[in-house]
Amino acid sequence: MCGIVGYIGHREAYSVIVQGLERLEYRGYDSAGIALYDGTNLNVSKTKGKVADLRSKLETEIPTIGSVGIGHTRWATHGVPNDVNSHPHFSNSGNLVIIHNGIIENYDSLRQELLQRDYKFTSDTDTEVLVNLIEDIKKNEDVKLGKAVQIALNQTIGAYAIAVFDKSKPDEIVVARLGSPLAIGVGKDEFFIASDATPFLEYTKKTVYLKDGEMAIVRRNKKLKVFKIEDNSIVVPYVEELQLNLEQIEKGGYDYFMLKEIYEQPQAIKDTFRGRMLVKEGIVKMAGVDDNLEKFKNARRILIIACGTSWHAGLVAEYIFEEFARVPVEVEYASEFRYRNPVIYEDDVIIAISQSGETADTMAAIKLAKKQGAFVFGVCNVVGSSISRITDAGAYTHAGPEIGVASTKAFTTQITILTLIALRLAQATGKMSNSVFRSYLQELDRIPSKVEEALKCNEKAELVASKYKDVSNALYLGRGYNFPVALEGALKLKEISYIHAEGYPAAEMKHGPIALIDDQMPVFVIAMKKGHYEKVVSNIEEIKARSGKIIAIVTKGDKEVKRLADHVIEIPETLEPLTPILATIPLQLLSYHIALMLGKNVDQPRNLAKSVTVE
Ligand code: AGP
């Protein structure tokens, strides 16, 4: 969701900020804006649309000189996406300017109070209320900007990452966070502010990630000052050395990040089990699990909480944990879990899955579970993310940055790490024999090259895409381990091509969805040779009898489904619990090609955000 970039130092702020906003485009947004201080005036330019629109507008609108400024990409919450509601927002005096990611929940009551004190509002945003509240406090209490921000934030309810600039004190920017990420890049006599570190990667690797409830004053040529919003107490900033490099966040010759990330999966999966899976020795080791092995072993049940694609990975894990470790598993949408007064036992183990590590619903669900005494284990991709910090222990997927809004490598690496955890637990509890355990390690080790082989279906996927790109609806069916893959396939199609698609367990078809089948309906069926193959073949027969179009994902060498289906895409054979990793590859490619052929923005689909940091 919204992206924040700021700069203070000796470079031209304009190019640092605009390029930084481009790097944050993946987060999802509908408008963009910038405030630059040229030494005398504080100039703001903003527009509905893309950063490219801002770039062309601002160059004719405001001077692009100056070495301090803040910029923003907005994902609308309060007020429609238009020029006026875009950030930055001025205070009434025109002295203060603010950018904000998050929601101020009590903005309406604050607004009413400010209206009584003759403040005027030009936008519908909660953000304009906040900047005027800060101004009001600064004026009435005669305090500096930092103090005014601190007092104001103690009066707000909600979530935020903000950056505030005061033209009467142009050598500093005040920033704060609660529930939305904020990173500060520490350069030589310069500071960068951003929602994540990608906007300043080429300038500095030294980064301070503000923690929830912290604020900072970044001052030209001075040391960084960090303190707690609650009581102003000083915090010693922890400067991390970033492990990211520029190559990882660039398209590297691909047309879209999504395609690059699909093709990165063999390597990403290898990186997920690197150092954790010792095949020859027959060992799985993961500090986060090993250090808490008793908790895992004694778990009454495992509760998995997540959203979207991560929830689908959780569903695959449910099958895997129950099969391998014989422990009961429940998988919950974090957004439902957090509000339904769930029964949580102290001996439950909660696994929270999140690529970004910033999803607001998952964060809230974790906080609830922790409050009720459960042990929470995080599975995140983004290192240093909020969820990785608030969980009791965890494991990173190490998939590298995922920039395409539609998750691809996040999904397959989440399944990989969850499989490793299940194997470790099964071994520790003796629920899996050593020979079976070893056969899984050997097969997992082969998975990256099998993914490589599965990716060779790209041309076929493109051909199938060209035949079905104009449909309005699609069905995805799978059973057992591959039922969640059907859900994930349908989500991928919906997200980037805007075609209505539904995923179902294949056997559920006859309880309703079969009514939808006619000669216009494409049905994508995952029909692996393992598991419930014969049953799925029967389902395919039922679709065929009703003239549905069948696109089947089959095991290499399959003959039976080939005879029935309109198109088949082959993937290599593997052990049944690992088939979701391979079966998902053609579905990712199909969605990619359909969206591309329809002329959609594959990486930044409408209305969607990469990290969903608001409810
Ligand atoms: C996946 O393609 C989606 N963009 C979305 O469903 C995503 O998986 C969901 O928002 C959860 O995100 P997280 O993994 O970062 O928590």
Side-chain angles (χ1 to χ4, degrees):
M1 297 194 149
C2 308
I4 281 180
V5 183
Y7 177 76
I8 187 162
H10 44 77
R11 298 172 203 269
E12 190 188 57
Y14 159 69
S15 28
V16 174
I17 294 169
V18 174
Q19 183 190 282
L21 291 177
E22 282 164 351
R23 293 256 171 87
L24 294 181
E25 283 190 301
Y26 77 93
R27 295 173 66 85
Y29 71 106
D30 40 57
S31 42
I34 192 168
L36 293 169
Y37 180 68
D38 66 9
T40 318
N41 298 310
L42 180 54
N43 303 302
V44 166
S45 178
K46 50 193 192 171
T47 184
K48 180 183 170 188
K50 294 288 177 192
V51 178
D53 302 315
L54 175 70
R55 214 185 246 282
S56 39
K57 184 177 181 196
L58 84 89
E59 284 176 7
T60 57
E61 206 171 65
I62 61 168
T64 57
I65 51 171
S67 56
V68 56
I70 52 180
H72 190 259
T73 49
R74 172 176 188 252
W75 188 88
T77 57
H78 294 71
V80 296
N82 61 24
D83 292 3
V84 176
N85 287 335
S86 308
H87 299 206
H89 287 285
F90 275 119
S91 63
N92 276 194
S93 71
N95 283 336
L96 306 189
V97 75
I98 191 171
I99 50 176
H100 166 217
N101 172 12
I103 294 179
I104 305 300
E105 287 169 13
N106 60 336
Y107 85 103
D108 198 36
S109 58
L110 294 169
R111 190 174 203 259
Q112 296 312 321
E113 284 170 30
L114 289 166
L115 283 169
Q116 278 170 18
R117 296 205 282 281
D118 285 336
Y119 280 86
K120 305 270 181 290
F121 297 96
T122 53
S123 76
D124 305 317
T125 65
D126 48 346
T127 307
E128 196 185 7
V129 174
L130 181 57
V131 71
N132 281 302
L133 177 66
I134 296 167
E135 173 150 294
D136 192 57
I137 293 167
K138 188 170 178 285
K139 196 167 64 190
N140 291 337
E141 304 202 11
D142 194 20
V143 287
K144 289 184 180 159
L145 179 67
K147 185 70 190 163
V149 169
Q150 190 230 342
I151 298 170
L153 292 178
N154 276 300
Q155 294 177 18
T156 61
I157 301 168
Y160 49 78
I162 55 165
V164 195
F165 177 78
D166 177 356
K167 84 166 177 196
S168 65
K169 201 119 190 295
D171 282 337
E172 67 179 37
I173 302 174
V174 177
V175 298
R177 81 158 269 182
L178 183 72
S180 294
L182 201 69
I184 302 170
V186 183
K188 192 167 165 2
D189 302 327
E190 60 183 346
F191 289 104
F192 305 81
I193 298 152
S195 298
D196 64 42
T198 55
F200 53 79
L201 214 50
E202 64 262 61
Y203 306 112
T204 181
K205 296 255 161 132
K206 292 191 172 22
T207 306
V208 173
Y209 288 100
L210 277 196
K211 295 202 183 88
D212 268 349
E214 288 181 357
M215 57 185 289
I217 304 183
V218 293
R219 294 167 300 166
R220 197 187 291 280
N221 301 329
K222 298 245 172 77
K223 276 180 101 176
L224 180 66
K225 254 172 81 177
V226 180
F227 44 96
K228 291 209 171 121
I229 298 168
E230 192 183 17
D231 57 9
N232 226 359
S233 56
I234 301 282
V235 175
V236 180
Y238 172 62
V239 184
E240 288 180 35
E241 192 73 23
L242 286 177
Q243 301 303 321
L244 265 181
N245 60 51
L246 219 46
E247 232 171 56
Q248 288 175 289
I249 59 155
E250 282 172 349
K251 286 191 194 137
Y254 288 90
D255 290 338
Y256 286 93
F257 282 110
M258 184 183 176
L259 191 63
K260 176 181 177 231
E261 288 153 9
I262 290 173
Y263 275 92
E264 278 174 348
Q265 289 176 107
Q267 188 57 45
I269 292 168
K270 271 188 210 158
D271 291 341
T272 303
F273 52 60
R274 186 187 309 282
R276 290 164 165 165
M277 188 175 80
L278 310 179
V279 185
K280 276 195 204 120
E281 295 82 342
I283 293 172
V284 170
K285 53 173 189 162
M286 267 177 287
V289 178
D290 296 339
D291 296 348
N292 298 285
L293 202 54
E294 288 311 305
K295 287 209 187 300
F296 275 95
K297 279 166 72 176
N298 297 326
R300 176 192 292 235
R301 60 178 179 166
I302 292 177
L303 267 171
I304 297 180
I305 47 178
C307 301
T309 288
S310 298
W311 183 76
H312 296 157
L315 288 178
V316 177
E318 178 179 18
Y319 286 83
I320 294 177
F321 271 96
E322 293 201 341
E323 175 69 29
F324 290 11
R326 306 302 300 145
V327 55
V329 178
E330 284 168 39
V331 189
E332 301 261 5
Y333 278 122
S335 53
E336 287 298 311
F337 181 83
R338 63 180 290 193
Y339 284 123
R340 68 165 176 73
N341 194 15
V343 177
I344 303 171
Y345 302 106
E346 282 186 9
D347 51 359
D348 278 339
V349 164
I350 314 277
I351 301 183
I353 311 171
S354 175
Q355 185 287 130
S356 62
E358 302 293 345
T359 302
D361 285 322
T362 312
M363 294 265 288
I366 293 169
K367 286 178 187 160
L368 175 75
K370 282 186 75 170
K371 214 161 138 196
Q372 298 196 25
F375 166 76
V376 185
F377 187 91
V379 169
C380 296
N381 184 39
V382 177
V383 176
S385 55
S386 301
I387 290 177
S388 69
R389 285 160 198 271
I390 62 166
T391 41
D392 298 304
Y396 288 116
T397 48
H398 293 308
E402 189 182 69
I403 293 172
V405 165
S407 265
T408 51
K409 62 177 178 171
F411 181 64
T412 47
T413 55
Q414 284 165 348
I415 297 174
T416 304
I417 193 96
L418 290 160
T419 306
L420 284 182
I421 299 170
L423 283 169
R424 177 73 189 95
L425 182 57
Q427 187 195 39
T429 53
K431 294 279 164 47
M432 184 181 268
S433 72
N434 205 30
S435 62
V436 176
F437 178 81
R438 277 181 177 266
S439 65
Y440 273 108
L441 296 200
Q442 282 155 5
E443 186 56 14
L444 259 177
D445 200 36
R446 288 190 282 263
I447 284 292
S449 59
K450 293 195 175 185
V451 172
E452 202 92 63
E453 203 184 325
L455 286 164
K456 293 194 181 132
C457 75
N458 186 41
E459 265 181 37
K460 186 74 187 277
E462 199 174 350
L463 176 87
V464 175
S466 69
K467 299 212 180 298
Y468 296 100
K469 66 178 178 18
D470 297 316
V471 299
S472 313
N473 298 289
L475 268 181
Y476 286 72
L477 304 178
R479 282 192 88 145
Y481 290 96
N482 285 302
F483 153 53
V485 176
L487 296 179
E488 176 61 8
L491 178 65
K492 288 289 87 87
L493 188 68
K494 275 185 271 210
E495 277 187 298
I496 59 171
S497 66
Y498 320 144
I499 293 173
H500 173 242
E502 295 296 336
Y504 275 96
E508 274 296 301
M509 192 182 58
K510 56 186 173 295
H511 298 289
I514 198 162
L516 295 168
I517 293 175
D518 59 17
D519 60 1
Q520 300 301 307
M521 176 66 92
V523 188
F524 297 85
V525 190
I526 303 134
M528 298 293 94
K529 261 287 183 209
K530 300 276 160 56
H532 314 279
Y533 179 70
E534 283 75 24
K535 309 266 177 215
V536 177
V537 172
S538 305
N539 297 137
I540 292 176
E541 298 269 18
E542 289 159 10
I543 302 163
K544 199 168 170 67
R546 285 154 186 86
S547 309
K549 299 274 174 280
I550 300 152
I551 305 102
I553 313 300
V554 299
T555 313
K556 196 172 172 183
D558 182 289
K559 293 212 171 58
E560 209 171 339
V561 176
K562 222 175 241 172
R563 196 172 44 78
L564 297 168
D566 295 270
H567 310 275
V568 292
I569 299 183
E570 292 189 335
I571 56 166
E573 187 165 7
T574 186
L575 296 172
E576 195 192 356
L578 306 181
T579 53
I581 301 178
L582 302 182
T584 199
I585 306 289
L587 300 182
Q588 295 170 344
L589 287 167
L590 275 162
S591 305
Y592 170 79
H593 286 298
I594 291 177
L596 196 66
M597 287 169 193
L598 294 177
K600 306 295 183 210
N601 185 337
V602 173
D603 284 338
Q604 294 161 35
R606 70 182 181 201
N607 304 340
L608 288 176
K610 185 67 183 164
S611 357
V612 184
T613 51
V614 298
E615 276 195 54

